[in-house]
Amino acid sequence: MINKIIKFLELDSDRKYISYVYILFLIFSVCLLVLNLNDIFHTHVYRQDALYYIQAKNYLSDKVFPEGRWINYLFFYLVSNVNGKILSLFVLSFLGFFMFFVSHKWTKNTYYSVMLTLLFLQIIPLYYFLQWPATITPAFIVLLVSIYFCKRIKNVFLFFSVLGILFFGTMSNYYYLLPLLFLEYFLSHNWKQNLKFAFLKLLPAWIVGFIVGYIITQLIVYANFGHFMKIASWRTPHYIHSIDDLKHNLTYSTHYLIVYLKSIFSNFSIIVLSLIAIIISVFKRRKDLIFVPLFIFILIALAHFVVIIPIGIYIAPRTVIPMWIAIFAILFFVPNIKRWQIYVLVPIIIFFSYNMHIKNSKNLKWYSTVTNVYFDKLIDVLPTDISKYKRLVIYANDSDISKNTKKISNRYSLKKDLNMGSFSNVLAWSAIGKEARFKHVDTCFKDKLSKNKTCKKASVVCENDAFEKSNDLYSVCGERKKSLIIKIND
């Protein structure tokens, strides 16, 4: 049995004891992924704009109009009725299959490709992205389908145009990964053919496909709304109208590039091991097989930071997952890898995987604990029969949520890093109410006067300290026309 495993993984059958050690490395990496899945399964509250908590008509106006996610809208009812834990498994499986496919085509070694795949599945912001499982699933299905299309559509310009349209209908940033599907071409051609293919076909087709996807999406939005996409104001876009605007956006994009690079190369050990990995990876490699793929990987890493320059919006951690993949490709993608290179690089891959797993574990435990405490305390304070209420009214300020989140974090000695989004305002908290099966969650801020009758009532009943029921986090203030009014304790 063990001999078959060694043969299947393409390890050294003559030096079995070495192969045993590297099989243990594989088992260790699999265990790290399983532990991540365990943390994911402890999460049942997702982000406030996850598809589980919004209506299709709101998604049409809030996401399709400003961002063009028309395919997500078409599959809204399908994906929003599938459990988020199952969809998270699908997403990780689809990404894993894609990365194994491109890795194996390039490295030509099953074991090493599996280890790389497990490394890619530890990318830290990926687990922040899984807090929108129904939203991101269609994009990863398209990523998986791209493998099939790559084999069937021989014209690269047509291939990238089709995929550009599909990714803009889901999430455009995963379009950046598609050049990885064509790496194998460089192995079977000489340097002149490689340069010609890369700069006259692959990269131009990649750019053209992105533009085609953008244009078609704009036309779809225009046909449905009568105007083109407009970035939502909450993203605080900074459009270019002058040279100063261009300088501002360039500086802004560069700033976030540096921030996220630092989050990858977060300590001295990682930097040193990265340099060793690069030296091992390029050792005695044909020059065109160094510089052409390297140029492609750098373009993938920089793509999103360049694309957002015209609009100058905030670059969220979850949007730069392709950058993480490109960085690891620079370090560990070795064409026709030799066994000695595997023996040197795999321990480094293990170090990276473990280092990211620790951060993933902390981030996931932080989020699941914070949201579960908010949820459990809410259920504890609610009347026994909540079916009679049409909506939940929350009387609180953002500062109340921020302070309580900090208290919960401190109580359980939990911390997160910049790759995990915050939970510090009433809007984020609304997911708690919706997960509790309130169809509508309305916000009444303590420090803002409102003409809304419900908020006026909330202000009166929540400030008199005559609570119907309370615990250390919430107080039930009262009811008004099938609305339950609660207060976040400060």
Side-chain angles (χ1 to χ4, degrees):
M1 181 66 179
I2 191 68
N3 290 334
K4 290 182 178 179
I5 294 174
I6 290 173
K7 184 177 180 180
F8 173 76
L9 293 174
E10 298 177 276
L11 288 169
D12 191 347
S13 56
D14 295 328
R15 298 178 178 84
K16 290 184 179 179
Y17 289 108
I18 295 177
S19 297
Y20 294 160
V21 171
Y22 281 80
I23 289 174
L24 289 176
F25 284 151
L26 172 58
I27 294 172
F28 180 73
S29 290
V30 170
C31 289
L32 295 182
L33 180 60
V34 171
L35 290 173
N36 287 355
L37 295 176
N38 179 63
D39 288 330
I40 290 172
F41 287 171
H42 280 86
T43 300
H44 68 97
V45 178
Y46 299 102
R47 292 294 174 169
Q48 75 278 356
D49 54 348
L51 298 194
Y52 303 113
Y53 306 140
I54 62 178
Q55 296 178 330
K57 62 179 181 180
N58 293 334
Y59 190 82
L60 188 65
S61 60
D62 294 344
K63 295 297 181 181
V64 178
F65 162 45
E67 298 177 25
R69 299 177 186 174
W70 57 276
I71 292 178
N72 279 15
Y73 176 70
L74 293 178
F75 289 94
F76 183 94
Y77 293 105
L78 177 61
V79 294
S80 62
N81 283 291
V82 181
N83 184 279
K85 297 180 178 67
I86 295 174
L87 291 182
S88 296
L89 281 176
F90 284 161
V91 166
L92 291 172
S93 299
F94 296 161
L95 177 62
F97 187 87
F98 178 87
M99 295 313 306
F100 176 81
F101 180 85
V102 298
S103 301
H104 193 265
K105 289 291 183 181
W106 186 239
T107 67
K108 304 297 183 182
N109 183 273
T110 301
Y111 173 81
Y112 189 71
S113 299
V114 171
M115 294 302 297
L116 280 178
T117 299
L118 293 169
L119 171 72
F120 289 122
L121 292 180
Q122 289 291 346
I123 288 175
I124 299 172
L126 176 62
Y127 292 90
Y128 177 26
F129 217 18
L130 289 176
Q131 290 165 17
W132 291 267
T135 303
I136 66 177
T137 296
F140 284 88
I141 292 175
V142 173
L143 190 66
L144 191 66
V145 169
S146 69
I147 296 174
Y148 175 82
F149 283 163
C150 183
K151 295 178 180 179
R152 298 298 185 275
I153 304 176
K154 300 303 180 183
N155 186 299
V156 290
F157 284 89
L158 179 59
F159 168 80
F160 279 104
S161 295
V162 170
L163 270 298
I165 293 169
L166 294 177
F167 273 112
F168 262 98
T170 53
M171 289 190 165
S172 60
N173 52 321
Y174 289 95
Y175 174 86
Y176 308 145
L177 297 175
L178 294 181
L180 298 177
L181 291 169
F182 296 87
L183 289 176
E184 188 181 21
Y185 176 93
F186 302 117
L187 296 178
S188 55
H189 295 81
N190 60 44
W191 68 272
K192 289 183 179 179
Q193 292 170 314
N194 287 344
L195 290 176
K196 184 178 179 181
F197 175 72
F199 293 100
L200 296 182
K201 287 188 176 181
L202 179 60
L203 295 178
W206 186 47
I207 295 169
V208 168
F210 189 86
I211 295 171
V212 169
Y214 176 77
I215 292 173
I216 295 298
T217 302
Q218 286 281 29
L219 293 176
I220 291 172
V221 171
Y222 187 84
N224 284 276
F225 295 97
H227 41 68
F228 296 115
M229 287 188 293
K230 184 178 180 181
I231 301 299
S233 58
W234 65 267
R235 291 188 181 274
T236 59
H238 185 272
Y239 296 102
I240 296 175
H241 301 291
S242 66
I243 295 297
D244 288 337
D245 290 333
L246 176 60
K247 290 179 180 178
H248 173 276
N249 288 5
L250 283 169
T251 302
Y252 193 71
S253 188
T254 303
H255 164 73
Y256 278 105
L257 173 62
I258 294 171
V259 167
Y260 292 128
L261 284 175
K262 286 182 177 179
S263 72
I264 297 175
F265 302 104
S266 55
N267 59 58
F268 182 73
S269 298
I270 288 176
I271 294 172
V272 171
L273 289 174
S274 296
L275 292 174
I276 294 172
I278 290 175
I279 293 170
I280 300 301
S281 296
V282 302
F283 186 78
K284 290 187 177 181
R285 196 198 301 186
R286 227 170 66 196
K287 288 184 178 179
D288 61 308
L289 293 183
I290 296 175
F291 295 108
V292 175
L294 176 62
F295 185 70
I296 293 171
F297 298 152
I298 291 173
L299 289 181
I300 294 172
L302 296 179
H304 193 64
F305 298 91
V306 174
V307 166
I308 64 95
I309 287 174
I311 51 179
I313 59 172
Y314 165 65
I315 303 175
R318 62 185 183 272
T319 64
V320 297
I321 292 171
M323 183 196 77
W324 283 72
I325 292 175
I327 294 297
F328 288 140
I330 292 172
L331 298 180
F332 300 115
F333 265 30
V334 184
N336 293 316
I337 191 168
K338 297 176 178 60
R339 190 164 281 131
W340 73 268
Q341 290 174 305
I342 294 175
Y343 290 157
V344 176
L345 290 176
V346 164
I348 299 176
I349 290 172
I350 288 289
F351 179 86
F352 273 77
S353 296
Y354 180 73
N355 184 67
M356 290 190 293
H357 163 74
I358 294 300
K359 294 179 181 179
N360 285 330
S361 181
K362 289 180 179 179
N363 286 340
L364 290 169
K365 283 182 170 63
W366 173 86
Y367 182 77
S368 63
T369 301
V370 166
T371 54
N372 287 341
V373 168
Y374 273 116
F375 180 84
D376 293 341
K377 292 287 185 179
L378 176 63
I379 297 301
D380 173 67
V381 83
L382 291 177
T384 53
D385 182 15
I386 65 172
S387 60
K388 66 178 182 178
Y389 300 109
K390 288 185 176 180
R391 65 182 65 240
L392 177 68
V393 178
I394 178 73
Y395 183 69
N397 288 329
D398 289 345
S399 59
D400 297 323
I401 308 298
S402 180
K403 290 176 183 176
N404 279 295
T405 295
K406 187 175 182 180
K407 288 179 181 178
I408 295 169
S409 301
N410 291 338
R411 181 186 302 171
Y412 293 94
S413 301
L414 299 170
K415 289 184 179 181
K416 69 175 190 69
D417 65 16
L418 64 85
N419 292 292
M420 174 62 69
S422 65
F423 198 91
S424 59
N425 55 61
V426 179
L427 182 62
W429 183 92
S430 65
I432 304 295
K434 291 175 181 177
E435 182 67 20
R437 296 297 181 263
F438 285 94
K439 291 184 178 180
H440 303 282
V441 178
D442 293 344
T443 301
C444 294
F445 288 95
K446 294 178 183 178
D447 57 359
K448 294 182 181 179
L449 296 175
S450 175
K451 295 180 181 179
N452 182 287
K453 292 182 179 180
T454 299
C455 286
K456 285 185 176 180
K457 173 69 174 178
S459 176
V460 172
V461 299
C462 287
E463 292 295 343
N464 64 12
D465 293 332
F467 304 126
E468 297 180 5
K469 192 177 180 181
S470 65
N471 56 30
D472 57 343
L473 195 53
Y474 303 103
S475 296
V476 176
C477 302
E479 304 174 18
R480 186 181 187 277
K481 295 181 179 181
K482 294 187 176 181
S483 294
L484 180 67
I485 304 171
I486 67 168
K487 172 186 177 182
I488 298 284
N489 296 331
D490 54 8

